[in-house]
Structures are given as C-alpha cells and as structure tokens.
Amino acid sequence: MRFNISSNTLSSQLSGLAKVINSKNSLPILDSFLFEVHNGQLVITASDSENTMRTTLHPDNCEGEGNFCVNSNTILNAVKELAEQPLTIDINYDEWKIYISYMNGSNNFPIQNADDFPRTQPISDNATTIQLTSQALVDNINRSLFATAQDELRPVMNGIYFDLTTDGLTIVASDGHKLVRNKNFDFKTDTPAAFIMPKKPANLLKNILGKDDQEVIIRFDERSAEVTYGETMLSCRLIEGRYPNYNSVIPQDNPNKLSIDRRSLIGTLRRILPFASDSSQLIRFHIEGGNLNLKAEDIDFATNAEENITCSYNGTPMSIGFKGSSMIEILNNLDGDEVIIELADPSRAGVIVPAQQPENEEVLMLIMPMLLND
C-alpha cells in the first residue's frame, strides 16, 4: 500500500490527536495511532479507551487499502521537524514496516496489527443533537473549566454539565465553593436532555477547536457523546450520575450591587494576596459609599496589606470575606471592562456578572463567602 501526503498536514493532525494519548496506558496498543486507508481516504485514530479522536485526510496517489497501527512518538518524531514537502508512505505487510520517503531522505520503522486496537461503540440512534459554533463552545468551556472539582466522592462535580431545556442551553461547572453558569438562548428544545462531560475531553476541545464560526455538532445519549467538527470527531464516555440543582444555590435577590473595573480589582487582589494566610487566602472586602477597601493579613507571620479602589455602590455598608485566589480566577474568566458584584449579607454567596453580557447569552459566576473573625 502506498500514498502521498503533505508533511505539514500529517504532522499537525498527528500533534492534535496525540493529546488524547495518556503517558501510561493499560493496553500497549493505545500508545499507537490507528491508520485506516479506504476509498482513497486516510482515517487516523487515537484513543485512551475512554476518549477517542479521529480525523479524515485525503492523500494523493493512493494505491491499495489496509489498516495498521504505528507508535505515536516514533511517527511524530519522524515527521515533525520536516519542512513542508510531499511525503511518500509505503506500507509493507510482509515485513510489517512503514517506509517514509521525502525530498532528501527516508526512514522506516515497525508497524503493528490494527486488529488489536480497541473500537468505540457507536452512539445510539435516539441520541440528542446540539449544533453550535466553535467560538461559542470554546468560550463556554474556557469560562467553566476552572470551576470544576477534583472530588472522588462526588464525581459528577468533576465535569462540565450541559443542560438543554426549553429556555436554552445552560453550561455549568461548580466545585461547591464557586460556580459558573453560562446560558445560551440560541438553542432550545421541546425534549429536555443533559449530560456531564469530563474534564479531559473538554480540555481537548478547548485546545483543538478554533475560535471561528465553524459548525460543531454534539450528539449524546446516556453513556457517551460525539463531537464532530470539520473532518474530525471526538467521542468520549460521559460521567454518570445526577448533577445537583445548580439554580437553587444562586441567590435571586441580592440587593447590594457593586460596580467596579475588572482589571483594577484583579491587580489589587494580586498585590495584596501574598500577604494573606497561605492556608485560607482570605481577603476582607469592606464596601462603603464609592470605596472598596481590600485587606489581607497573616497573623502567624505578622504580614498585612490593604488597598482602596474607587467603585460604584449604593447598598448598605458591608464587610465580607472571599478566598482571594478564587476571586481572581472568576475575574480572569469574565470578559469586559466592568463587572457587577451582587451581595446580600456576609453569610450569603456573592454573584458576579459582566456589566455587558455577550449577545444571546447570560454569564453568571458565584463565589461562597468566608467567615471573618472581626
């Protein structure tokens, strides 16, 4: 079997697929890519047994058909440093070797039998389908991933929850201390459905999808999901279980609203956070009139820092504590120049929203308060 393909095309596709492969695999064959050549098309697959990514390429001068596996590190090293040029790839099934020839050189190495590579179960015919743009999916994943948990006792909190309802598509993540809720009103359904995507496939999509208007199709059933974009498809096993009622923990009537410049608040938090206790990272927020006073201290090491920022606030004077690193994460994952922090009292969660919401979307983040000693 023989075919020709661009070195840059092959290298870039293999680099993307390689992100699926674990450094240590339960099956040795999962260290390899699966190559399948049929009807003039080359399909390359990578898997870690729970997540599988495949992409379709269109080689030139394709002679013969067949399947084989090749070690991922070996073939990546063989092609990644080559300048853009056509490659001629020959497969010798008598020797079980692959021969790669290029402008001023060649290399060869062993291949393996494709029959040992595990195949994914096709998704059921009654799967639910969501269509959205690559930009929308990447933005929502980017805003949500930081809020996922690492909790062995509650695995449902370790992923991103996609909730399709009659009102729209809501994408949620929470670790119990902070929560992100993205509502997209472009997608509605008469038949509500939901799934929990693990962090690894979400990270893969974040790194591989472009921020453009390319259509992404998500099909999912009770066990797995398939995400298709262009010539590439990612299938993943979903987290099983019931996601908590996220709406019930979001306060609906926080009367005290603080409007402040997002970047100024991030800068101030970064400057004073090193003076807070390493264990708690507690930052004291005192809001009164048009002034926000931020204070951090570590009694054990006798360190202390505070700064004042001008803000817009018409509520009652209040002191409330928040974990500094969590507040910085939330602010970093919001867009826009200004944010609004909605508060009720020092014992209730604070709600943070951008002053200007994205078109046809509603972004909300929540952070639980910390107890102040004074």
Side-chain angles (χ1 to χ4, degrees):
M1 182 173 67
R2 169 182 290 189
F3 57 89
N4 295 339
I5 194 166
S6 152
S7 60
N8 279 1
T9 299
L10 183 60
S11 178
S12 63
Q13 295 298 328
L14 292 179
S15 296
L17 292 170
K19 293 179 172 66
V20 181
I21 300 173
N22 290 332
S23 56
K24 293 183 179 179
N25 288 294
S26 54
L27 297 173
I29 196 69
L30 293 177
D31 292 333
S32 302
F33 294 119
L34 169 65
F35 281 65
E36 299 171 287
V37 181
H38 296 284
N39 299 322
Q41 292 187 331
L42 167 62
V43 178
I44 310 176
T45 303
S47 177
D48 65 0
S49 78
E50 293 194 349
N51 305 284
T52 300
M53 188 183 295
R54 65 173 56 91
T55 191
T56 302
L57 303 177
H58 304 276
D60 301 319
N61 306 322
C62 201
E63 300 174 11
E65 295 187 343
N67 306 332
F68 62 92
C69 290
V70 60
N71 182 272
S72 57
N73 286 330
T74 305
I75 192 166
L76 271 170
N77 289 331
V79 301
K80 69 181 180 182
E81 297 297 338
L82 292 174
E84 168 56 17
Q85 58 187 294
L87 304 178
T88 299
I89 297 182
D90 286 284
I91 307 301
N92 188 318
Y93 285 109
D94 294 329
E95 300 177 350
W96 283 98
K97 294 189 81 171
I98 180 173
Y99 292 80
I100 301 178
S101 305
Y102 48 95
M103 195 177 299
N104 56 348
S106 64
N107 53 57
N108 65 82
F109 40 92
I111 59 174
Q112 297 166 268
N113 195 318
D115 294 341
D116 298 329
F117 199 90
R119 308 294 169 139
T120 56
Q121 292 291 324
I123 204 159
S124 61
D125 293 334
N126 61 348
T128 304
T129 301
I130 304 172
Q131 295 185 17
L132 66 168
T133 65
S134 174
Q135 174 84 55
L137 184 56
V138 170
D139 286 346
N140 281 278
I141 290 175
N142 273 333
R143 278 195 293 260
S144 306
L145 263 174
F146 81 95
T148 54
Q150 192 66 43
D151 190 337
E152 292 181 4
L153 299 179
R154 294 186 300 169
V156 294
M157 307 294 283
N158 299 341
I160 297 177
Y161 183 55
F162 287 70
D163 189 15
L164 187 61
T165 67
T166 54
D167 295 327
L169 173 64
T170 304
I171 298 175
V172 182
S174 177
D175 62 2
H177 302 287
K178 53 188 180 288
L179 176 145
V180 177
R181 185 188 70 186
N182 308 279
K183 279 188 176 181
N184 195 311
F185 301 108
D186 286 337
F187 313 99
K188 298 179 182 180
T189 181
D190 295 330
T191 309
F195 68 92
I196 308 171
M197 179 180 286
K199 271 186 277 198
K200 181 172 179 177
N203 262 312
L204 289 169
L205 291 170
K206 182 187 80 167
N207 293 327
I208 290 167
L209 287 176
K211 288 195 170 186
D212 52 36
D213 292 330
Q214 183 181 18
E215 184 179 68
V216 178
I217 299 171
I218 304 175
R219 297 178 67 242
F220 64 94
D221 57 20
E222 295 82 10
R223 294 179 58 256
S224 57
E226 287 182 355
V227 184
T228 305
Y229 48 97
E231 301 269 26
T232 302
M233 190 271 286
L234 170 68
S235 67
C236 63
R237 189 177 301 168
L238 300 174
I239 298 175
E240 296 182 17
R242 190 178 189 86
Y243 204 81
N245 183 356
Y246 55 88
N247 284 316
S248 67
V249 301
I250 300 174
Q252 302 300 318
D253 54 352
N254 281 0
N256 303 305
K257 292 179 171 55
L258 163 71
S259 180
I260 194 165
D261 182 78
R262 183 176 66 89
R263 292 181 182 85
S264 296
L265 182 53
I266 291 172
T268 301
L269 287 167
R270 282 178 174 161
R271 286 190 292 273
I272 71 169
L273 184 57
F275 296 89
S277 164
D278 283 343
S279 58
S280 69
Q281 299 186 351
L282 171 65
I283 304 290
R284 177 182 176 274
F285 285 60
H286 180 75
I287 319 145
E288 189 167 354
N291 183 69
L292 169 62
N293 174 270
L294 297 176
K295 185 175 182 180
E297 62 178 339
D298 187 343
I299 296 171
D300 293 337
F301 291 92
T303 60
N304 176 313
E306 67 177 295
E307 280 194 29
N308 293 293
I309 315 176
T310 302
C311 64
S312 174
Y313 181 69
N314 297 320
T316 56
M318 185 188 307
S319 291
I320 187 169
F322 291 116
K323 186 174 182 178
S325 58
S326 294
M327 181 63 81
I328 290 172
E329 280 184 314
I330 285 174
L331 295 168
N332 277 332
N333 284 282
L334 285 169
D335 296 323
D337 296 329
E338 201 157 310
V339 294
I340 297 169
I341 304 176
E342 302 174 0
L343 303 168
D345 60 60
S347 65
R348 293 179 63 188
V351 172
I352 306 171
V353 297
Q356 183 73 41
Q357 291 281 5
E359 187 178 358
N360 291 329
E361 290 187 65
E362 181 188 285
V363 178
L364 176 149
M365 302 198 183
L366 174 146
I367 182 169
M368 297 301 294
M370 299 180 71
L371 183 65
L372 293 172
N373 293 325
D374 50 6

